[in-house]
Amino acid sequence: EAGVVQSPRYKIIEKKQPVAFWCNPISGHNTLYWYRQNLGQGPELLIRYENEEAVDDSQLPKDRFSAERLKGVDSTLKIQPAELGDSAVYLCASSPRDGQGTQYFGPGTRLLVL
Amino acid sequence: AQKITQTQPGMFVQEKEAVTLDCTYDTSDQSYGLFWYKQPSSGEMIFLIYQGSYDEQNATEGRYSLNFQKARKSANLVISASQLGDSAMYFCAMRVSGGSYIPTFGRGTSLIVHP
């Protein structure tokens, strides 16, 4: 069974530029999570999807961050414009349904904003 | 609000020895789940073990066991017979079952296994 797929693995951009991350969850997993992990910290949830519906997006900085999961499968997280403080690892995870069960994580995207 | 505390920034253990990584949690909810993840330098979070708040037995998965002490609100991870490949960051996490499913992670413990 394929795991959670994320791309790109690494991204370096200049501040004020836009950036997008893509995630494909494990087949059949209805719940998808986006996390941000700053250096030396644990992951912090940005947004959780149940199928195509976004729930638990209270920690998503909506002025510059947006996310979508149009068909309830893969998802895109966008930052526009990026700031220096956005440098972090962006992790995607999925779980079978309804926010229950174990989350399985992808390899993450390491973002560096210069 | 939920909180996870991992007080050990770093731990060292000799190969083949056992090691305990500490985790305490705080929640007012009665139904919750506790997780441990391993994060090697490659960055991927690898699920290790899960303990439900109503589980009477401590969870075990191969060389990993979770020492769950509900009254003390602790969920320590025990790794037996450490291997060099166990060197990584280890994160304790919690998710309550009612209301919001927002998981909470600790700051992690860096484990180094030396020969």
Side-chain angles (χ1 to χ4, degrees):
Chain A
E1 177 180 284
V4 177
V5 179
Q6 288 188 252
S7 68
R9 290 295 311 276
Y10 305 91
K11 190 73 176 179
I12 302 175
I13 61 172
E14 294 187 346
K15 63 181 181 182
K16 300 184 182 180
Q17 294 297 308
V19 65
F21 315 123
W22 177 80
C23 172
N24 194 34
I26 292 173
S27 178
H29 281 195
N30 295 333
T31 308
L32 184 147
Y33 311 77
W34 281 104
Y35 289 88
R36 177 169 59 189
Q37 185 177 20
N38 292 313
L39 189 64
Q41 305 283 332
E44 295 178 325
L45 184 72
L46 292 174
I47 190 169
R48 174 171 71 93
Y49 280 94
E50 294 293 344
N51 298 302
E52 64 274 9
E53 182 181 0
V55 296
D56 290 329
D57 64 349
S58 59
Q59 298 182 91
L60 187 73
K62 297 182 181 64
D63 57 336
R64 296 184 300 108
F65 286 66
S66 64
E68 60 183 14
R69 192 185 185 199
L70 293 175
K71 296 182 179 179
V73 181
D74 58 344
S75 176
T76 302
L77 177 69
K78 298 178 181 178
I79 309 175
Q80 182 170 10
E83 297 179 352
L84 297 178
D86 296 330
S87 295
V89 176
Y90 291 83
L91 294 163
C92 179
S94 69
S95 65
R97 71 192 191 297
D98 298 336
Q100 301 291 333
T102 300
Q103 295 177 62
Y104 296 91
F105 284 79
T109 296
R110 295 175 186 263
L111 173 67
L112 178 61
V113 182
L114 302 175
Chain B
Q2 294 77 45
K3 185 177 181 180
I4 293 284
T5 302
Q6 295 180 254
T7 58
Q8 305 155 315
M11 291 284 287
F12 292 87
V13 66
Q14 190 161 16
E15 192 178 11
K16 301 181 184 178
E17 298 291 315
V19 63
T20 298
L21 306 183
D22 294 342
C23 172
T24 58
Y25 61 92
D26 188 21
T27 181
S28 56
D29 288 83
Q30 297 301 310
S31 180
Y32 50 87
L34 295 156
F35 302 79
W36 277 92
Y37 287 87
K38 171 185 178 181
Q39 188 176 42
S41 56
S42 60
E44 185 171 351
M45 299 281 283
I46 301 168
F47 166 73
L48 296 178
I49 196 167
Y50 167 81
Q51 179 86 41
S53 59
Y54 293 117
D55 294 342
E56 295 185 355
Q57 302 277 347
N58 284 344
T60 60
E61 290 286 348
R63 295 186 298 111
Y64 304 107
S65 61
L66 199 152
N67 184 4
F68 181 46
Q69 298 187 44
K70 195 170 182 177
R72 300 178 66 177
K73 293 189 174 180
S74 73
N76 298 340
L77 176 69
V78 180
I79 305 174
S80 63
S82 298
Q83 302 173 356
L84 296 179
D86 293 335
S87 295
M89 286 291 294
Y90 288 80
F91 291 93
C92 180
M94 174 174 65
R95 187 177 67 230
V96 298
S97 298
S100 172
Y101 294 124
I102 296 178
T104 303
F105 283 78
R107 297 187 61 156
T109 295
S110 175
L111 176 66
I112 296 177
V113 181
H114 58 88

